[in-house]
Amino acid sequence: QVQVVESGGGLVQPGGSLRLTCAASGSIVSVYTMGWYRQAPGKQRELVATISSGGYTNTADSVKGRFTISRDNAKNTVYLQMNSLERENTAVYYCNAKVRTGVPGPTQDYWGQGTQVTVSS
């Protein structure tokens, strides 16, 4: 019913940059907060950044100043610009979208399949 698809991951050298893109589509009435989470090998999934439909952002302290989240409400799309990448940023990055599909109806979390980001020289 709702699809969440990430793109933009890949292999990058330390100090490099990547921009991740995530688009929500399907039977959507409203998309509220969207965000990015990541999971490194042997670790739990953690918050990277979120952004509300009004543009209010919440960013993890570990990436503040290097990662920037933004969105295009008309396209139900969220972006993550990642600069000055470090080896510690290597992880699978997952997109999350809080979506309402009915009127009335609940708001539910939808997750993308994940995109691999590998920082290595």
Side-chain angles (χ1 to χ4, degrees):
Q1 200 79 351
V2 176
Q3 298 81 45
V4 178
V5 180
E6 306 101 328
S7 62
L11 176 65
V12 64
Q13 292 183 312
S17 298
L18 285 173
R19 190 178 80 152
L20 306 183
T21 299
C22 169
S25 62
S27 184
I28 294 172
V29 174
S30 299
V31 178
Y32 300 103
T33 299
M34 303 183 76
W36 292 95
Y37 297 73
R38 68 186 179 190
Q39 187 166 21
K43 296 184 178 180
Q44 294 183 327
R45 187 175 299 187
E46 65 176 353
L47 169 74
V48 178
T50 62
I51 183 168
S52 73
S53 58
Y56 191 89
T57 61
N58 179 35
T59 306
D61 289 341
S62 62
V63 302
K64 284 182 178 177
R66 298 188 298 117
F67 292 10
T68 302
I69 190 169
S70 61
R71 68 188 288 166
D72 184 339
N73 288 338
K75 298 180 179 179
N76 291 326
T77 298
V78 63
Y79 308 92
L80 185 68
Q81 179 66 46
M82 304 185 293
N83 298 327
S84 301
L85 283 161
E86 305 168 347
R87 291 181 177 86
E88 292 77 12
N89 301 139
T90 294
V92 178
Y93 285 70
Y94 296 91
C95 179
N96 172 267
K98 299 185 184 298
V99 179
R100 182 160 64 90
T101 59
V103 183
T107 298
Q108 298 179 333
D109 282 310
Y110 290 86
W111 292 89
Q113 80 289 345
T115 185
Q116 177 71 47
V117 173
T118 302
V119 185
S120 178
S121 60

